[in-house]
């Protein structure tokens, strides 16, 4: 594609930027019991379910976690990257 805009739109999105726009609003503060970003103990319990289940729950919602977590166009790969970021990043 020649259009620089087109090239940008098809480039993989920066996980950190996506995170700030979406999951951040709940997972930074731990609102309603959301496992906090960087709280490795809280995430370890969740990761035991396996990444497939977690991606599924992010997409479909899980208890107080709303479906899609405010990212209405995230792919499964992007959910997995966001979950890894939240589980591994230092607070
Ligand atoms: C409106 C608030 C909110 C937003 C936005 C949000 N979450 Fe959550 N999330 C929660 C809450 C609350 C929980 C805890 C649910 C529970 O266990 O009761 C949770 C739990 C989770 C879990 C664990 C699910 C499980 O099976 O244990 C994953 C994975 C997750 N969120 C991913 C994400 C991702 C990825 C995003 C961004 C795309 C996101 N969340 C955005 C509130 C939110």
């Amino acid at each position: 594609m020649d259009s620089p805009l087109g090239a940008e739109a098809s480039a993989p999105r920066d996980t950190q930027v996506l995170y700030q726009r979406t999951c951040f609003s709940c997972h930074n503060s731990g609102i309603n019991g959301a496992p906090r970003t960087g709280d490795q103990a809280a995430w370890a319990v969740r990761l035991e379910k396996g990444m497939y289940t977690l991606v599924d729950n992010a997409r479909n919602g899980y208890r107080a976690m709303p479906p899609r977590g405010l990212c209405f166009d995230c792919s499964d790969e992007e959910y997995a990257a966001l979950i890894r970021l939240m589980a591994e990043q230092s607070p």
Side-chain angles (χ1 to χ4, degrees), residues 1 4 10 20 25 29 37-38 44 47-48 75 80 83 91:
M1 232 189 277
S10 62
Q20 293 294 338
S25 55
S29 56
T37 302
L47 287 168
E48 277 173 14
S75 64
I83 291 166

Side-chain angles (χ1 to χ4, degrees), residues 8-26:
E8 202 173 294
S10 62
R13 298 189 289 182
D14 187 310
T15 306
Q16 189 71 50
V17 172
L18 267 184
Y19 168 71
Q20 293 294 338
R21 269 209 333 247
T22 59
C23 328
F24 172 88
S25 55
C26 296

Side-chain angles (χ1 to χ4, degrees), residues 23 26-27 32 34 46 49 54 57 62-66 69-70:
C23 328
C26 296
H27 284 270
N32 287 332
R46 311 277 179 166
K49 304 180 194 184
L54 294 186
N57 290 348
Y62 178 76
R63 302 198 292 197
M65 161 81 199
L70 299 184

